[in-house]
Amino acid sequence: MAVDTVPVTTTPAIRQQAPPRRSRETLTAWLFILPSLIGFLIFTAGPVVAAGVISLLNWNLFSAPTWAGLHNFARLGPDPTFWSALGNTVYFTLVSVPLTILVSLALALLLNQGLKRIAVFRSLLLLPYATITVAVAFVWIWLYIPHDGLVNTVLGWFGIDGPSWLISDTWAMPALILMSVWKSFGFGMVVFLAGLQAIPQQLYEAGRVDGTSPWNSFRHITLPMLSPALFFVVVTSVIGSFQVFDQALIMTNGGPGSRTTTLVMYIYRTGFENYDQGYAAAQSLVLFAFIVIITAGQFLFQRKLVHYDN
Amino acid sequence: MTTEIRQKLVVFTCFLVTAITLIPVVMMVLVAFQSDAESMAAKPSFWPSSWHPENLTRAFDLVPLGKYLLNTVYFAGGTTILETVTAALAAYAFARLNFPGRSWLFGIYLATLMIPSQVTLIPQFVLVAKLHGIDTWPGMILPHAFTAIGVFLLRQFFLGIPRDYEEAARLDGANRWQAFVRVIVPLAVPAIATLAVFKFIGQWNNLLWPLIISNSDATRTASVGLQVFQDTNGTQWNLLLMAATVTTIPLIVLFFLTQRWFVRGITMSGLGGR
């Protein structure tokens, strides 16, 4: 009694022995997934689990590891460099993310004013985003040269005596932040531009009929309609700035003192300069925990502030 | 304010903002052409008082910059091709095929999206070291060629392709593989290209991984190479910034050629709102 009601037309001999449709689809699916899955298990999922194990070991990579239990996590408490690296990373994030968002949003609004040559300006403004961080970090060192560098020369025109940016305790971090905002605002700008262009114009026309002021239509139409894009840019920028490394390594190498040592730089130093892999793994898991907590917080916050029209 | 004045004001502001934004890029190129003395003077000058195009060949003589650039192409190109192909295959199965465990497996992929790359950095390094992969191409490329983000993005896009298109091909006797190659992939070219461009730019930029895995000119990439440049020669600004310019230009050219996809990809993925 044939369970399969589909008439078999070609190569009946093979068809009869083939497994039923459902398990064939399962087999096909696994064949499609396999190349990605093998790589994913070996190089992503496996290492995540391994990071947990390594964080429980004393290990310098060269001699056999010994069991450390939670000792590596306990070491974090009395380690001033860890706390200052965490503080620096939080400082960087708290200043650079809002600043990047403001600049991206302002430029997206400017470009969205019915400009004819919008594509030209958009491309040119995206240029910093398309440069190599390491390469432009060197340019910024040059721009920040104390006394006569371009940044201080321009400040001088306004009668301001500029600081010795990258070697100043106070100004090294703001200098890094300024460079980072310059490097990354383009991405947010494109996302916001896409969002702005998706807002139906009738909404604004209706507002105009009611005599709504530009500020009020921005607050009550643009911002709510743009909130999904804003949320996306905030989440990705926060995750990105918690992982800041390249520009800090090149421009300040974490200094002066440890004023610009970020968490990732400290993990790199611990693991690959001091060969203290267990401790570095513990730090990376704490960084992970921070990112999860902050992202989860943002998702909770999102329910209140982000408007999706379903 | 009349519309005309307003329009002029907008254009003027755009010019001003763009000009300020481009200063660092322009300076990189200008200093690259200055003489040694001028670029290293205590008081930096901005416009070169004499032009030195020979700085280009000098930069290439000082460090094997050509080799570094080629290495960067291998590294970025290799990771991009592997990631795009494997992600497209897996995304197709997650979007279109039914199999037991599909949702939990996809859930595991999704969960790893939030993990910062630093968590996997140390185990990946240990793994590559154990397999004698330090300073080899497999060691450089493989750990960065399989990420969940590609699978996630392409699955999103495949879900949006009407099932009818594929069903029509299936009724004509195409098997799953043929339907994927002849129907789904051609329709998904913009999304696949967007993923490829994102990935390529990201890996061209990658500093941390090549810094750890590559320890000779055989695999050293340009972003690591620029650092060596500074270490071995002090800060000879004109040659360093010439090297930086040469390293950045391919990326800028690629970016301008593919920007339409890039911008469209952002719009299409629904990130901009609706």
Side-chain angles (χ1 to χ4, degrees):
Chain A
M1 199 169 277
V3 179
D4 194 351
T5 53
V6 180
V8 175
T9 50
T10 50
T11 56
I14 298 175
R15 273 296 163 93
Q16 271 162 18
Q17 297 194 353
R21 216 191 137 158
R22 180 156 286 280
S23 68
R24 266 195 40 179
E25 181 157 314
T26 303
L27 182 69
T28 315
W30 283 107
L31 285 177
F32 270 94
I33 291 180
L34 213 58
S36 160
L37 186 64
I38 292 173
F40 177 78
L41 288 178
I42 297 177
F43 296 111
T44 303
V48 171
V49 178
V53 177
I54 294 173
S55 71
L56 303 175
L57 304 173
N58 287 318
W59 193 22
N60 65 6
L61 284 178
F62 308 111
S63 49
T66 58
W67 184 253
L70 292 176
H71 177 64
N72 285 321
F73 291 93
R75 283 168 70 190
L76 293 167
D79 179 351
T81 318
F82 173 75
W83 292 105
S84 82
L86 179 63
N88 291 336
T89 309
V90 171
Y91 173 14
F92 180 89
T93 305
L94 284 182
V95 182
S96 77
V97 173
L99 213 56
T100 309
I101 304 263
L102 274 180
V103 172
S104 322
L105 186 58
L107 290 176
L109 288 168
L110 182 70
L111 288 182
N112 200 37
Q113 297 292 314
L115 265 188
K116 283 207 186 76
R117 306 223 176 282
I118 179 171
V120 177
F121 285 116
R122 191 194 59 207
S123 307
L124 290 174
L125 286 171
L126 260 173
L127 208 111
Y129 183 69
T131 56
I132 300 188
T133 315
V134 174
V136 291
F138 283 116
V139 189
W140 279 86
I141 299 179
W142 192 85
L143 295 175
Y144 280 134
I145 291 174
H147 308 302
D148 297 311
L150 186 61
V151 174
N152 281 350
T153 304
V154 171
L155 287 177
W157 296 345
F158 299 95
I160 301 168
D161 194 10
S164 311
W165 295 97
L166 297 171
I167 48 173
S168 152
D169 279 0
T170 321
W171 292 101
M173 190 54 105
L176 273 185
I177 290 171
L178 182 65
M179 182 272 178
S180 308
V181 172
W182 174 84
K183 177 79 180 71
S184 57
F185 77 82
F187 178 73
M189 184 187 76
V190 174
V191 176
F192 291 145
L193 209 49
L196 285 173
Q197 290 176 348
I199 300 177
Q201 285 304 308
Q202 302 94 287
L203 288 178
Y204 292 105
E205 276 151 29
R208 220 166 294 142
V209 172
D210 294 344
T212 318
S213 70
W215 168 245
N216 274 334
S217 73
F218 175 74
R219 252 189 66 190
H220 297 297
I221 303 172
T222 312
L223 269 189
M225 294 296 282
L226 210 56
S227 53
L230 256 164
F231 176 67
F232 170 74
V233 178
V234 170
V235 170
T236 49
S237 310
V238 168
I239 293 178
S241 59
F242 254 80
Q243 300 184 48
V244 63
F245 174 74
D246 300 13
Q247 55 268 58
L249 183 79
I250 302 291
M251 288 168 67
T252 59
N253 198 17
S258 58
R259 291 294 170 122
T260 59
T261 300
T262 62
L263 264 186
V264 172
M265 193 185 288
Y266 191 46
I267 294 172
Y268 169 73
R269 293 245 163 90
T270 310
F272 298 97
E273 285 175 9
N274 300 334
Y275 298 103
D276 195 347
Q277 297 296 340
Y279 192 33
Q283 288 167 11
S284 75
L285 289 173
V286 171
L287 171 64
F288 179 36
F290 267 103
I291 292 180
V292 169
I293 292 168
I294 289 168
T295 311
Q298 287 172 323
F299 270 91
L300 285 178
F301 204 54
Q302 170 212 23
R303 289 204 191 143
K304 275 191 172 174
L305 289 180
V306 178
H307 302 253
Y308 296 100
D309 56 12
N310 311 322
Chain B
M1 217 179 344
T2 67
T3 351
E4 202 185 322
I5 296 180
R6 209 184 103 101
Q7 187 70 22
K8 279 186 176 154
L9 202 66
V10 168
V11 173
F12 174 75
T13 318
C14 280
F15 267 113
L16 193 70
V17 170
T18 311
I20 295 173
T21 304
L22 293 184
I23 288 173
V25 182
V26 174
M27 288 323 305
M28 174 165 74
V29 180
L30 288 180
V31 178
F33 285 99
Q34 290 179 359
S35 71
D36 293 358
E38 189 174 19
S39 75
M40 286 182 286
K43 191 174 171 56
S45 53
F46 306 118
W47 195 261
S49 48
S50 59
W51 291 80
H52 295 270
E54 76 276 8
N55 287 349
L56 182 63
T57 46
R58 290 176 63 207
F60 274 86
D61 288 342
L62 215 58
V63 290
L65 201 54
K67 174 73 177 142
Y68 293 167
L69 283 169
L70 202 62
N71 288 345
T72 316
V73 173
Y74 287 156
F75 175 59
T79 47
T80 302
I81 291 169
L82 270 176
E83 158 112 351
T84 326
V85 172
T86 58
L89 287 168
Y92 176 72
F94 281 124
R96 279 289 200 271
L97 300 171
N98 278 313
F99 59 97
R102 180 175 74 169
S103 49
W104 66 256
L105 186 58
F106 189 65
I108 293 177
Y109 266 77
L110 274 189
T112 59
L113 284 181
M114 232 197 306
I115 296 170
S117 54
Q118 286 69 37
V119 172
T120 50
L121 183 75
I122 292 155
Q124 280 179 345
F125 174 79
V126 171
L127 182 67
V128 169
K130 292 265 178 224
L131 298 172
H132 305 287
I134 302 288
D135 219 19
T136 67
W137 285 117
M140 288 276 283
I141 291 173
L142 290 177
H144 281 257
F146 309 93
T147 61
I149 186 84
V151 177
F152 175 69
L153 284 176
L154 292 183
R155 175 183 167 271
Q156 264 327 77
F157 190 83
F158 292 167
L159 283 175
I161 297 175
R163 272 174 188 270
D164 302 354
Y165 294 0
E166 204 191 336
E167 291 306 321
R170 302 269 293 146
L171 284 176
D172 286 346
N175 61 30
R176 285 291 182 184
W177 170 252
Q178 288 162 334
F180 171 71
V181 173
R182 298 209 191 125
V183 180
I184 300 291
V185 169
L187 284 172
V189 164
I192 295 174
T194 304
L195 172 65
V197 173
F198 260 116
K199 182 78 182 180
F200 194 86
I201 292 180
Q203 294 306 314
W204 190 282
N205 242 310
N206 196 339
L207 173 69
L208 193 49
W209 184 248
L211 192 63
I212 292 167
I213 294 298
S214 149
N215 53 22
S216 79
D217 286 348
T219 56
R220 187 166 288 143
T221 60
S223 48
V224 183
L226 285 178
Q227 263 197 308
V228 174
F229 210 108
Q230 191 195 29
D231 290 348
T232 51
N233 302 291
T235 309
Q236 201 165 345
W237 285 110
N238 53 350
L239 300 189
L240 175 63
L241 293 183
M242 179 59 89
T245 306
V246 170
T247 313
T248 307
I249 281 175
L251 201 60
I252 291 181
V253 170
L254 174 85
F255 189 76
F256 273 95
L257 292 178
T258 55
Q259 257 227 71
R260 279 167 191 277
W261 286 335
F262 189 83
V263 173
R264 199 148 46 116
I266 290 175
T267 317
M268 269 183 337
S269 53
L271 300 179
R274 277 141 288 270

